[in-house]
Amino acid sequence: KTEYGLLQVTEQSGQRFLRCDGHIESAVYTDSAHADALVFPYMQRFSYAFAARPAIRRTLLLGGGAFSYPRYYLKNYPNCTIDVVEISEDVLKIDEAYFGLNDLKTERMQIIAEDGFSYLKETKETYDLIINDAFLGSHEEGRGTEDLQVIHDHLNKDGIYMVNLASSLKGISSFSYQHLSAELKEKFKYTAVLQCEEERSLYEKQNLLLIGSEETLL
């Protein structure tokens, strides 16, 4: 039990899950041959940023989870660095005990145990790519108007912002998508949305990646 909810580690079908109040926060494969592979399709879509901006070198990830994406990132982008902000020190302890975080630590990755937007308000660092994958259970963190301004202020000139959102694209479950999409269009010159599981109906709640930048996107 933690101040952010009940944390659990479970295993099923060759995958190890980190859960908060029953909601899946992150997952990795237990098979060492696939240790660096990404379980979730929405994380696989983060690669869009590198297709649009091959010159990305510095990334900020809000929400460490089980460090599945940083593990993939460090292997696949050897010339890049990543700062990972994780608000829960309990999650970091679980990552060390059950998700191999100690073996993952390197000079190319800085781990910041703090609220992501508190960190951004304090730091002068800027990034080529900022990914917001911060959740506490089912609650999404940092999707408000003020948060977008903070993000915008810490992106480099042609930087990209990507935010993971659980919403439908159409229908009664699409309010959060419609709202955040409008907010992004107010803040960024160019925006896009990626449906991460294309077999799902547009009316079904799912992971969507919303993207913003001041430079053209693919």
Side-chain angles (χ1 to χ4, degrees):
K1 294 181 179 180
T2 76
E3 62 180 309
Y4 300 111
L6 177 66
L7 299 178
Q8 297 172 297
V9 177
T10 63
E11 289 190 6
Q12 183 178 356
S13 303
Q15 298 173 357
R16 180 173 294 174
F17 299 91
L18 173 63
R19 299 174 182 266
C20 181
D21 290 336
H23 298 277
I24 295 175
E25 299 288 301
S26 191
V28 299
Y29 289 106
T30 56
D31 179 3
S32 59
H34 299 91
D36 301 312
L38 295 171
V39 173
F40 300 126
Y42 83 87
M43 286 190 179
Q44 297 168 12
R45 292 299 183 96
F46 290 166
S47 61
Y48 169 93
F50 287 86
R53 302 282 190 276
I56 286 174
R57 291 295 177 267
R58 299 198 69 212
T59 295
L60 173 67
L61 174 64
L62 305 178
F67 278 72
S68 51
Y69 184 69
R71 183 178 288 106
Y72 172 90
Y73 182 101
L74 291 169
K75 178 180 179 180
N76 288 277
Y77 307 113
N79 297 320
C80 299
T81 64
I82 185 168
D83 292 349
V84 183
V85 183
E86 172 54 57
I87 192 173
S88 173
E89 293 190 9
D90 292 299
V91 166
L92 294 175
K93 290 177 182 177
I94 287 175
D95 289 336
E96 291 175 349
Y98 296 99
F99 293 97
L101 179 56
N102 287 327
D103 295 333
L104 194 62
K105 291 178 180 178
T106 167
E107 292 181 354
R108 293 172 50 219
M109 178 175 68
Q110 178 183 196
I111 300 173
I112 302 156
E114 189 178 354
D115 171 75
F117 287 87
S118 295
Y119 163 73
L120 283 170
K121 290 174 183 177
E122 297 164 0
T123 188
K124 294 182 180 179
E125 299 288 345
T126 59
Y127 297 90
D128 303 314
L129 171 62
I130 297 178
I131 301 172
N132 184 358
D133 194 25
F135 285 79
L136 289 174
S138 62
H139 179 67
E140 299 164 333
E141 297 290 306
R143 272 69 171 180
T145 303
E146 181 182 350
D147 301 322
L148 283 179
Q149 183 60 55
V150 174
I151 292 288
H152 192 278
D153 292 344
H154 287 82
L155 282 172
N156 293 327
K157 181 181 177 182
D158 60 349
I160 289 179
Y161 177 49
M162 307 183 81
V163 54
N164 175 27
L165 183 70
S167 176
S168 66
L169 282 163
K170 294 185 177 182
I172 60 175
S173 300
S174 67
F175 174 79
S176 56
Y177 161 67
Q178 301 292 345
H179 176 74
L180 185 53
S181 178
E183 294 281 349
L184 279 172
K185 289 175 181 177
E186 286 287 327
K187 190 60 62 179
F188 293 97
K189 185 176 180 180
Y190 298 94
T191 64
V193 59
L194 296 180
Q195 185 181 6
C196 300
E197 298 169 88
E198 295 179 355
E199 70 279 5
R200 293 205 178 201
S201 164
L202 300 182
Y203 296 88
E204 185 178 357
K205 192 173 183 179
Q206 58 195 281
N207 287 105
L208 304 174
L209 281 186
L210 277 67
I211 304 165
S213 180
E214 290 303 317
E215 298 295 330
T216 185
L217 297 165
L218 294 174

